[in-house]
Amino acid sequence: YYFRIINYYNKVNYNFLFYLVMIFYLILFVLMTVFPMLWLNYVFKKNDTVLENMPFNGLEFGNLILKERGLQNVMIEQTKIGDHYDLNEKKVRVLDERLNKKSITAISIVCHEIGHAIQHAENYKPLEQRNKIVKNTAWITSIGSGILYMGIPTIFATGATSLIKVCLIITLLSMIIGVLIHLITLDVEFDASFNKALPILKEKVPKEYHNACRSILLAAAFTYVIGTIRNFLSLRYIWLLLTRLR
């Protein structure tokens, strides 16, 4: 009887510690999502003031850089789904408000995305590796995301432990792939910001704005640092759930 009581209290303590760790990871995940995004928005908005004496807006600046770099086969177009470079179509896609604005944020973001076009033209290996991994593993990532947000809650409700384990393993695999993609992306993003875009901006923009350009380029690359940290936290969270079901 005495040993049963000890086992009972050990189990209670283990359960309490487990849920405490789970809550900690959830809170950390939220903090790593909210506060960095607030900082990013602050940096972008701080340097998004219209400069009337600027000789070009984001689109004009981008076209000038593409012409000087001999990238006439690359097009710039507006988008509503976020700034990015499309490798397949060779298009720099930037939010409309940036293309038509004369601000340090606008030209810095455009220049960052053109940095990816320059990488593409130079056959930058990490960019090609990321593209291949994303293409070849898109189906696993889609399945993992679907299970995480829809399947697992439903299965937990039914109590089918063996099925839960299978779903968690698939989700874990998709997250490992996500971490790998983000790690490769970090190299791609920092190279686009500081080896490709920053030298161009230093050449074209007055020295008084160089620090602002550097801050914006750091923020543009830092979005993927946040993504990597979030993926690691999610990976650890799923692993805890998986070990709990043993």
Side-chain angles (χ1 to χ4, degrees):
Y1 177 75
Y2 174 73
F3 286 112
R4 277 190 292 177
I5 293 176
I6 292 176
N7 288 333
Y8 172 77
Y9 278 106
N10 284 339
K11 187 176 181 180
V12 170
N13 288 334
Y14 174 78
N15 287 338
F16 175 75
L17 183 61
F18 173 79
Y19 288 117
L20 195 64
V21 171
M22 295 293 279
I23 292 170
F24 169 76
Y25 275 109
L26 281 173
I27 293 173
L28 196 58
F29 182 85
V30 171
L31 291 177
M32 288 305 302
T33 300
V34 176
F35 286 104
M37 291 309 298
L38 290 175
W39 173 73
L40 293 177
N41 289 332
Y42 167 75
V43 172
F44 289 154
K45 287 182 180 179
K46 177 185 176 183
N47 299 288
D48 206 27
T49 304
V50 174
L51 302 176
E52 298 296 343
N53 60 340
M54 184 179 285
F56 34 61
N57 59 26
L59 179 60
E60 293 165 343
F61 179 76
N63 284 328
L64 174 65
I65 301 305
L66 290 176
K67 183 178 180 181
E68 290 181 353
R69 295 282 165 166
L71 298 172
Q72 284 87 353
N73 60 332
V74 177
M75 303 292 293
I76 300 176
E77 64 179 29
Q78 67 184 55
T79 183
K80 294 182 180 180
I81 60 173
D83 311 309
H84 65 282
Y85 172 68
D86 190 317
L87 275 78
N88 297 322
E89 297 187 19
K90 292 187 177 181
K91 289 183 178 180
V92 171
R93 295 195 172 106
V94 182
L95 296 175
D96 183 50
E97 58 265 28
R98 301 201 203 285
L99 291 179
N100 297 309
K101 202 166 191 179
K102 293 183 176 182
S103 73
I104 298 299
T105 293
I107 64 171
S108 297
I109 294 297
V110 169
C111 200
H112 171 84
E113 299 306 333
I114 289 176
H116 291 308
I118 295 171
Q119 289 174 333
H120 194 192
E122 295 176 353
N123 297 317
Y124 185 63
K125 293 300 180 184
L127 182 67
E128 294 177 355
Q129 289 171 354
R130 180 184 69 174
N131 196 42
K132 286 179 182 178
I133 293 173
V134 169
K135 278 185 177 180
N136 295 331
T137 61
W139 63 277
I140 300 176
T141 305
S142 298
I143 292 172
S145 299
I147 291 173
L148 181 62
Y149 294 110
M150 297 175 61
I152 290 179
T154 304
I155 297 167
F156 262 112
T158 64
T161 307
S162 58
L163 191 55
I164 292 172
K165 286 183 180 180
V166 172
C167 289
L168 286 176
I169 290 170
I170 295 172
T171 304
L172 192 69
L173 179 61
S174 71
M175 286 185 174
I176 291 172
I177 293 169
V179 168
L180 178 61
I181 291 170
H182 271 88
L183 288 174
I184 296 173
T185 299
L186 288 180
D187 187 16
V188 173
E189 294 300 320
F190 277 97
D191 179 79
S193 277
F194 298 105
N195 294 336
K196 302 297 188 295
L198 188 58
I200 294 172
L201 290 166
K202 282 183 174 180
E203 180 185 336
K204 300 293 183 183
V205 175
K207 190 174 181 179
E208 61 187 287
Y209 297 114
H210 286 182
N211 286 337
C213 291
R214 187 178 288 104
S215 296
I216 295 162
L217 292 174
L218 178 62
F222 197 73
T223 55
Y224 291 90
V225 175
I226 298 168
T228 303
I229 294 172
R230 285 204 305 255
N231 270 24
F232 271 116
L233 290 174
S234 299
L235 193 62
R236 181 59 179 163
Y237 185 81
I238 295 298
W239 177 254
L240 284 172
L241 282 177
L242 193 58
T243 55
R244 174 69 173 171
L245 293 171
R246 286 179 179 177

